[in-house]
Amino acid sequence: MAMKHPFINCLWFDDQAEEAARFYTTVFPNSGIDDITRYGAAGYEIHKRPEGSVMTVEFHVSNLKFMGLNGGPLFKFNPSISYFVVCETAAETDTLWQKLSEGGKVLMELDKYDWSEKFGWVQDRYGLSWQVSLGKLSDTNGQQITPSIMYVQEQAGRAEEAIRFYTSIFEGSAIRGIRKNGPGENEPEGSVKHAQFNLAGQEFMAMDSALQHPFTFNEAISFVIHCDTQAEIDYYWNKLTEDGQESSCGWLKDKFGVSWQVEPIQLVEMLKSPDKEKTERVTNAYLRMKKFDLPKLEAAFEG
């Protein structure tokens, strides 16, 4: 089934979504804030967020769409999902590294490695992980920032399986390449050292790591699929929950533990309505749902 809307990378914050969005849009060129939604009365009942406080901030950073969500202190970022950034000059690499590492934590020093003349891995001041690399945009299909998924703990060794699973679901997908670990390396032979694949027009990366990591996937980062019809909602929900886990409000975990949100694009527009009664009705309706029921949401909105 073809996707008409690009994926949105949802970043879960306690209450720093707007601050973080403004930080990222100043760090990267060709970036900006797109929209802000605020909690209504129901937001306090469920999330203990004051009415009128920021709920979501939609923004774009270079080529990628993001949404910051103020959801409370439940989930924290970790390096199992990071963002790989290609810089085409050494000066650009150094500048970006300096901005992202300020107040953060360096995971791999900015240095020369086998795979890059200049590469570093850092958690920024909010805990979000970035891999900064000197390279060519042509290597990532012109996409400067690419989500990178690392399969660790019980998921280690499943990267290739996951790639083939995802590319079977999204129409117009392709596997760009899979490089595997050979004998005598730090990781198990045959596991994925680095892979690049495209889902419905957006580049992704993946790798395995069987090393001892004190983290794995959680809901701090999820991928949002916006659907136009109930048939699309049903399709993506059924495919991605196969051997996975249903959650609430359109959230799910796939069989590998990666979080997704499957939601109607119409709900996004409903929640931006200036009519508070309508937004409260639709909010109360969607809070009771696991998989979204578009006709019921539209009926609640219209009252």
Side-chain angles (χ1 to χ4, degrees):
M1 184 169 288
M3 277 183 62
K4 297 177 185 176
H5 311 282
F7 292 101
I8 293 179
N9 296 257
C10 181
L11 309 177
W12 183 295
F13 295 90
D14 182 355
D15 59 1
Q16 296 171 304
E18 185 176 8
E19 176 191 322
R22 298 199 183 281
F23 171 68
Y24 297 134
T25 53
T26 58
V27 168
F28 292 90
N30 305 315
S31 303
I33 305 288
D34 299 318
D35 206 355
I36 296 178
T37 62
R38 299 183 183 275
Y39 279 108
Y44 182 78
E45 296 171 21
I46 303 297
H47 299 283
K48 299 298 182 262
R49 297 288 164 182
E51 184 175 0
S53 64
V54 172
M55 179 168 65
T56 63
V57 182
E58 294 174 41
F59 60 104
H60 61 279
V61 176
S62 186
N63 51 278
L64 214 58
K65 291 179 72 69
F66 285 90
M67 177 175 68
L69 167 66
N70 283 331
L74 289 174
F75 307 111
K76 301 295 181 187
F77 302 125
N78 69 61
S80 60
I81 298 180
S82 59
Y83 290 89
F84 191 100
V85 187
V86 175
C87 301
E88 293 201 295
T89 67
E92 182 188 0
T93 310
D94 291 339
T95 300
L96 182 60
W97 177 261
Q98 183 179 4
K99 290 178 179 178
L100 290 174
S101 59
E102 186 178 339
K105 177 184 177 184
V106 173
L107 303 179
M108 292 179 68
E109 291 287 351
L110 185 65
D111 206 343
K112 182 177 179 178
Y113 295 91
D114 292 344
W115 59 89
S116 176
E117 284 294 312
K118 187 170 279 197
F119 171 90
W121 195 329
V122 65
Q123 284 183 290
D124 67 28
R125 63 186 68 177
Y126 303 103
L128 190 61
S129 293
W130 302 87
Q131 299 182 60
V132 181
S133 183
L134 177 62
K136 296 179 180 179
L137 284 172
S138 57
D139 292 339
T140 52
N141 201 30
Q143 188 170 303
Q144 186 187 20
I145 303 174
T146 303
S148 179
I149 307 172
M150 182 166 65
Y151 295 80
V152 298
Q153 295 188 14
E154 67 273 11
Q155 304 301 337
R158 300 188 73 190
E160 183 174 2
E161 179 192 350
I163 292 165
R164 298 194 184 281
F165 176 65
Y166 299 143
T167 52
S168 73
I169 292 172
F170 297 96
E171 191 175 314
S173 299
I175 298 173
R176 302 282 191 202
I178 299 177
R179 191 185 316 144
K180 297 187 177 182
N181 289 293
E185 300 199 48
N186 289 334
E187 297 282 356
E189 184 177 357
S191 63
V192 174
K193 177 182 283 190
H194 177 81
Q196 191 171 322
F197 58 105
N198 184 293
L199 297 182
Q202 181 170 307
E203 298 293 308
F204 286 82
M205 293 177 179
M207 63 183 289
D208 285 311
S209 181
L211 303 177
Q212 292 297 314
H213 295 291
F215 55 79
T216 189
F217 303 126
N218 66 20
E219 289 86 340
I221 298 179
S222 58
F223 301 109
V224 183
I225 304 167
H226 277 146
C227 303
D228 285 313
T229 65
Q230 187 64 44
E232 289 178 24
I233 294 169
D234 294 344
Y235 171 81
Y236 291 116
W237 184 269
N238 293 340
K239 289 287 187 181
L240 288 167
T241 56
E242 183 183 310
D243 297 324
Q245 181 181 338
E246 295 185 359
S247 188
S248 57
C249 303
W251 289 67
L252 65 90
K253 284 188 176 184
D254 66 31
K255 66 176 79 175
F256 309 99
V258 176
S259 291
W260 302 78
Q261 297 180 58
V262 181
E263 64 179 42
I265 194 72
Q266 294 89 337
L267 177 60
V268 178
E269 298 308 315
M270 291 179 206
L271 293 173
K272 293 175 184 175
S273 169
D275 188 324
K276 282 190 175 183
E277 289 188 4
K278 287 187 172 185
T279 59
E280 286 298 305
R281 285 199 302 267
V282 79
T283 298
N284 283 319
Y286 87 67
L287 288 173
R288 293 195 295 270
M289 297 178 180
K290 287 188 174 182
K291 181 178 74 173
F292 281 132
D293 186 319
L294 179 56
K296 285 184 178 179
L297 290 172
E298 290 174 329
F301 184 74
E302 295 302 334

